[in-house]
Amino acid sequence: MRTPLVVGNWKMHGDLATARELAQSVRDGLKRPRGVEVVICPPFTALAAVAEVLACSAVSLGAQNCHWEEQGAFTGEISPVMLAELGCRLVLLGHSERRHIFRETDEEINKKVVAALRRGLQPLLCVGETAEERRQGLTFTVVEGQLRAGWAGLSPEEIGRCLLAYEPVWAIGTGVNATPTQAAEVHGYLRGLVSELGSKDLAPAIRILYGGSVKADNAAAVTQEPDIDGVLVGGASLQAPSFVAIAKKSAAKGGAPKE
Ligand code: PGA
């Protein structure tokens, strides 16, 4: 039983006033969402302000990254303890922009996943292949490697607290989204791996989101696929009307969770 989850990744956008306004509009547009859970991930600087706006609302708070240590001499880093204190419920880890621009390794991402779990944050691990890797037929190999490394050493109980996102790199911010069939194929593969890495019972329980150029007009087609349990939204989460529409279109029909 999986309730669809819609996560907005604001990336490095917005001053405080804009962040408050956007969070208010999302909150007001989703007062009683049925059959969908919604999380927004503002930049670190806006987390406290957005937490205030979202207090007692149906929309939760998440962060875009964290360090693996709880405190110490790590100039410029933010720890999972700090995020938990601000009311974050989840943290994005291994986003392709972190992997490719900031050269984060699978090992570092794994340490972050472990640290997030220790502090009660749900790690939303992102995996996905580049256009070149897909062209070479390496899609499954790449996502499998990233998943095995990202979840290395986790117990089935810990895997049960994790979230996963398939985000083909060629679809992020490009306007070229994977077709529902292309995405569903990878989601099915990932779900098979969850069964191996966690347990057979976990495979139908873990939520696997799709991310990459999700817009209001393609969200329904993507989330109708049985193995796709919601979406991770970048650009379209910066406008409240489009993000609210995506959340509503991703809701399980009639408010019932996906089986
Ligand atoms: P996009 O970004 O929706 O702008 O393609 C998705 C993401 O980076 O998570």
Side-chain angles (χ1 to χ4, degrees):
M1 305 277 272
R2 307 186 299 270
T3 303
L5 173 65
V6 173
V7 179
N9 173 11
W10 293 1
K11 307 193 180 182
M12 197 172 71
H13 290 288
D15 55 21
L16 272 183
T18 316
R20 274 198 197 94
E21 213 175 293
L22 178 53
Q24 271 160 10
S25 305
V26 170
R27 178 197 67 191
D28 296 345
L30 293 166
K31 282 208 172 105
R32 277 175 293 277
R34 282 171 55 82
V36 65
E37 287 173 28
V38 181
V39 179
I40 49 184
C41 303
F44 290 133
T45 49
L47 282 173
V50 171
E52 259 177 48
V53 172
L54 298 183
C56 303
S57 80
V59 179
S60 305
L61 187 68
Q64 299 173 19
N65 185 26
C66 71
H67 190 64
W68 56 83
E69 294 290 346
E70 300 201 345
Q71 60 176 350
F74 300 100
T75 302
E77 293 293 329
I78 304 286
S79 86
V81 185
M82 296 165 178
L83 298 179
E85 187 185 23
L86 286 172
C88 289
R89 158 188 162 185
L90 67 75
V91 58
L92 308 182
L93 293 173
H95 188 280
S96 65
E97 284 151 19
R98 301 293 322 167
R99 292 178 190 269
H100 296 127
I101 304 173
F102 301 102
R103 300 268 169 246
E104 276 190 18
T105 65
D106 281 323
E107 274 165 12
E108 289 167 340
I109 294 162
N110 176 240
K111 285 199 273 186
K112 292 177 177 206
V113 168
V114 171
L117 285 167
R118 203 186 307 130
R119 281 293 154 182
L121 295 170
Q122 276 191 297
L124 172 42
L125 177 68
C126 305
V127 300
E129 82 289 0
T130 61
E132 181 57 19
E133 287 162 344
R134 175 165 280 264
R135 206 183 54 73
Q136 290 181 18
L138 294 172
T139 299
F140 293 137
T141 313
V142 169
V143 297
E144 176 169 351
Q146 291 172 338
L147 178 60
R148 284 185 187 278
W151 282 1
L154 299 191
S155 66
E157 182 276 323
E158 287 168 324
I159 290 178
R161 289 191 278 135
C162 288
L163 298 161
L164 196 54
Y166 169 54
E167 295 211 302
V169 180
W170 47 271
I172 295 178
T174 58
V176 184
N177 62 304
T179 63
T181 315
Q182 280 174 320
E185 187 183 44
V186 180
H187 280 237
Y189 187 75
L190 290 170
R191 204 172 292 288
L193 285 170
V194 173
S195 171
E196 184 201 320
L197 297 171
S199 72
K200 278 214 167 57
D201 294 345
L202 277 179
I206 294 285
R207 283 182 286 187
I208 308 177
L209 315 189
Y210 166 79
S213 296
V214 174
K215 310 278 179 237
D217 59 6
N218 61 22
V222 171
T223 50
Q224 260 165 28
E225 288 293 330
D227 266 326
I228 301 182
D229 309 313
V231 284
L232 176 50
V233 189
S237 70
L238 293 172
Q239 304 293 335
S242 59
F243 186 64
V244 167
I246 289 169
K248 290 185 172 165
K249 288 180 180 188
S250 303
K253 282 200 188 75
K258 280 189 170 192
E259 308 259 353

